[in-house]
Amino acid sequence: MPTIPVRRSPRISGGSKVAGQTVSRNEIGVSTPSKRKIRSDSTTEDNVVTSTLTPSPMEISPCKWKSPRRCVNDSPKSPLNANRGDKTINLSKSPVKRRLSESFLEKPIWNPRDMEQLNAVKEALHVSRAPSNLVCRQVEQNRVLEFCKQAVKIEKAGSLYVCGCPGTGKSLSMEKVKEVLVNWADESGFQAPDILSVNCTSLSNTSDIFGKMLDKIQPRRKLNCSTAPLQYLQKMFSEKQQPAGTKMLLIVADELDYLITKDKVVLHELFMLTTSPFSRFILIGIANAIDLADRFLPKLQSMNCKPAVITFCAYSKDQIISILQQRFEAFPYTVFQPQALELCARKVASASGDMRKALWVCRSAIEMLEAEIRDSISSLDLPSLHGRVSYQHRDGACDKSPIHESNVVRVDHVAIALSKAYRSPVVDTIQSLPQHQQIILCSAVKLFRGKKKDATIGVVISVCTIKLESWSYQACVEC
């Protein structure tokens, strides 16, 4: 039987043969054999030395592995001698922060002492200032617009209910939809509908909405005293077909929940008018309650004429930042620090997602910066302190003073504005009470928190006495 040759690793103790050469231990200077190199071709020459005879210090004593991270901006896989200015190194900042820095810090810092700039920024942040293009609501706008277009094309009535949290752009979106719908009808050759916008909070009586509808359809029509506008509309939409040239009517009823009465007749009849056979009006109701149609319009669901529902979700942090950027993009200067805007967006998004609250916080932060600058100018009132410099000289010095980065709205301004915006008035009232009254209030709350429904004054006084004694003992210990 043929023998199979066994390859053995070279011995290091005396002398060894490495690739056909006898090498002594003193020549190698290493105590452990080096690993063989894996070769794919077995026919390659075996007599070639694959490694140097004098090993490096790393082979003599292996050193500990050190993390290549040299700064915060490096990643664990970065090479040791990586160029720190290379753009391929991943920064620790998020993409949103990087976009904020690029969009705000490239502009020069504004001058809050300039009243023209100050008033322009305040006006841009006002709630009544509607932007030309409403961002972050394109999906909801398209859904409402497609509903209205379909109703105008087939000339069929319909109802839509738009709901969502306060400050999510419902009313602004409807204004944009009305404008786009009229332009689309003119360009497409359809007859543009008449539009009636009603804020239900302005109605003295809930049934007045039917009178407004009738005035819009037939402005010069005079009714008998015995005929109510609702009865006339019901008769007109159920028995008489309108002429071919009659325009459709689009009704946008904002704050629709104000029409809810005890018997719910007004709200129910308003939606029922869209189901009449010859009805030619489109109803869009806007309110905050998501389940209004389920709670107050159960008959419509049983008759299979429940209105379509479109929900406006609360704004997220990125959406609030985008809207604020849109408000500031017209200005050639920087007003807010990027970190301050992000703090405002994060807090408002986590609390309510109300964009109106975010605008109020930004305006309040600007007012704090304005008061801070006013106080710094008043502190430089040298005539009041020394009586040597005139007011005219002081005002000229303030106007010529350089604009520093401290003139932008900082994080501390936004933090104080947020605390004011979300501060509870009940907590402020309790904190303003004297300490003994606070103890009485806490004692009463402790008594009535359990199953007790009533208590005598003596019981309350006894609990207050115990609390006062414990408070006095704690004060003595602290002293």
Side-chain angles (χ1 to χ4, degrees):
M1 181 180 295
T3 59
I4 300 175
V6 179
R7 301 184 65 179
R8 301 178 181 272
S9 59
R11 297 180 180 180
I12 306 301
S13 57
S16 63
K17 264 188 175 183
V18 179
Q21 298 180 6
T22 303
V23 184
S24 64
R25 181 177 179 177
N26 296 332
E27 293 176 345
I28 297 178
V30 68
S31 59
T32 56
S34 59
K35 294 182 180 179
R36 293 197 311 269
K37 187 176 182 181
I38 299 176
R39 294 172 294 179
S40 60
D41 190 2
S42 60
T43 60
T44 55
E45 58 271 12
D46 297 328
N47 297 328
V48 179
V49 180
T50 59
S51 61
T52 58
L53 296 179
T54 305
S56 62
M58 292 290 293
E59 296 176 347
I60 298 174
S61 59
C63 24
K64 296 180 179 179
W65 182 83
K66 293 183 179 180
S67 172
R69 181 171 293 188
R70 291 292 181 267
C71 64
V72 179
N73 295 333
D74 285 344
S75 63
K77 295 184 179 180
S78 300
L80 289 173
N81 296 326
N83 186 11
R84 303 303 174 195
D86 194 1
K87 296 181 180 180
T88 59
I89 297 177
N90 294 328
L91 298 177
S92 60
K93 295 182 179 180
S94 63
V96 176
K97 289 184 181 179
R98 201 156 52 239
R99 287 198 301 270
L100 283 173
S101 302
E102 291 173 359
S103 58
F104 284 98
L105 295 182
E106 290 178 354
K107 300 179 181 179
I109 299 174
W110 74 319
N111 183 11
R113 298 182 180 88
D114 189 355
M115 294 304 297
E116 185 178 354
Q117 295 184 10
L118 187 63
N119 294 331
V121 172
K122 285 184 177 181
E123 184 181 356
L125 292 174
H126 203 275
V127 180
S128 61
R129 179 70 178 271
S132 58
N133 184 22
L134 189 62
V135 297
C136 305
R137 283 291 178 252
Q138 286 80 6
V139 176
E140 291 82 359
Q141 286 181 13
N142 292 334
R143 291 180 61 187
V144 178
L145 185 61
E146 288 300 324
F147 174 82
C148 297
K149 285 181 180 180
Q150 190 67 21
V152 171
K153 285 180 181 179
I154 63 178
E155 296 185 355
K156 184 178 180 181
S159 59
L160 180 67
Y161 177 61
V162 177
C163 59
C165 299
T168 53
K170 301 186 295 295
S171 301
L172 287 178
S173 297
M174 294 306 106
E175 294 296 328
K176 188 67 177 178
V177 166
K178 290 188 295 184
E179 179 183 352
V180 175
L181 180 63
V182 172
N183 296 334
W184 168 82
D186 294 338
E187 295 174 358
S188 303
F190 295 98
Q191 193 173 16
D194 291 331
I195 299 175
L196 174 63
S197 298
V198 179
N199 193 326
C200 299
T201 59
S202 62
L203 300 175
S204 57
N205 192 5
T206 56
S207 59
D208 291 345
I209 189 171
F210 301 113
K212 290 182 176 294
M213 291 172 56
L214 189 59
D215 292 340
K216 191 68 177 179
I217 296 174
Q218 298 179 356
R220 300 179 181 179
R221 178 86 180 182
K222 292 184 179 181
L223 298 177
N224 299 327
C225 298
S226 59
T227 306
L230 174 60
Q231 297 175 358
Y232 187 85
L233 289 172
Q234 289 174 345
K235 183 179 180 181
M236 181 175 60
F237 290 151
S238 60
E239 297 179 358
K240 181 181 178 181
Q241 187 174 2
Q242 300 296 319
T246 305
K247 291 184 178 181
M248 297 193 69
L249 177 63
L250 173 62
I251 301 176
V252 180
D254 202 356
E255 304 294 344
L256 189 68
D257 48 354
Y258 277 82
L259 298 181
I260 299 175
T261 56
K262 186 177 291 185
D263 51 2
K264 310 177 187 64
V265 173
V266 175
L267 189 64
H268 184 265
E269 294 296 339
L270 180 63
F271 279 92
M272 284 298 295
L273 284 176
T274 60
T275 62
S276 300
F278 303 113
S279 178
R280 294 179 60 84
F281 84 97
I282 309 165
L283 174 62
I284 299 179
I286 307 173
N288 299 330
I290 298 176
D291 56 346
L292 183 141
D294 297 329
R295 286 189 299 163
F296 302 106
L297 302 173
K299 292 183 181 180
L300 296 181
Q301 188 173 3
S302 62
M303 298 173 62
N304 199 17
C305 55
K306 181 181 177 181
V309 179
I310 296 178
T311 305
F312 279 62
C313 299
Y315 283 114
S316 63
K317 182 256 301 182
D318 295 335
Q319 290 175 338
I320 293 176
I321 290 177
S322 300
I323 296 173
L324 291 176
Q325 282 182 334
Q326 183 197 23
R327 299 261 179 169
F328 289 122
E329 67 182 2
F331 300 112
Y333 40 78
T334 300
V335 181
F336 279 77
Q337 284 183 347
Q339 296 83 359
L341 278 182
E342 186 172 357
L343 174 63
C344 174
R346 284 183 181 275
K347 178 62 179 177
V348 173
S350 62
S352 60
D354 190 347
M355 191 60 211
R356 293 177 296 187
K357 185 72 71 175
L359 294 175
W360 185 91
V361 169
C362 292
R363 284 175 58 89
S364 180
I366 291 176
E367 291 173 358
M368 290 179 190
L369 175 64
E370 183 183 5
E372 182 180 291
I373 294 175
R374 193 184 307 114
D375 294 340
S376 64
I377 293 176
S378 63
S379 64
L380 297 175
D381 194 357
L382 300 179
S384 61
L385 297 177
H386 306 286
R388 291 194 298 267
V389 184
S390 63
Y391 284 95
Q392 184 177 2
H393 184 272
R394 183 204 56 173
D395 295 338
C398 291
D399 293 337
K400 296 179 181 179
S401 60
I403 303 174
H404 302 286
E405 291 187 359
S406 60
N407 289 339
V408 297
V409 181
R410 303 185 302 273
V411 175
D412 53 342
H413 298 142
V414 175
I416 297 173
L418 285 170
S419 64
K420 289 183 178 179
Y422 293 100
R423 186 171 53 191
S424 174
V426 178
V427 175
D428 293 341
T429 305
I430 295 174
Q431 290 179 351
S432 62
L433 294 175
Q435 195 164 20
H436 287 78
Q437 295 183 11
Q438 292 181 8
I439 293 174
I440 294 173
L441 183 61
C442 292
S443 303
V445 169
K446 184 178 180 181
L447 284 173
F448 295 114
R449 183 173 290 177
K451 297 181 179 179
K452 265 192 172 184
K453 295 183 180 179
D454 53 359
T456 61
I457 298 178
V459 176
V460 177
I461 292 175
S462 62
V463 176
C464 292
T465 305
I466 296 173
K467 286 188 173 292
L468 283 171
E469 291 177 355
S470 62
W471 171 74
S472 301
Y473 175 75
Q474 185 179 0
C476 292
V477 170
E478 290 177 357
C479 292

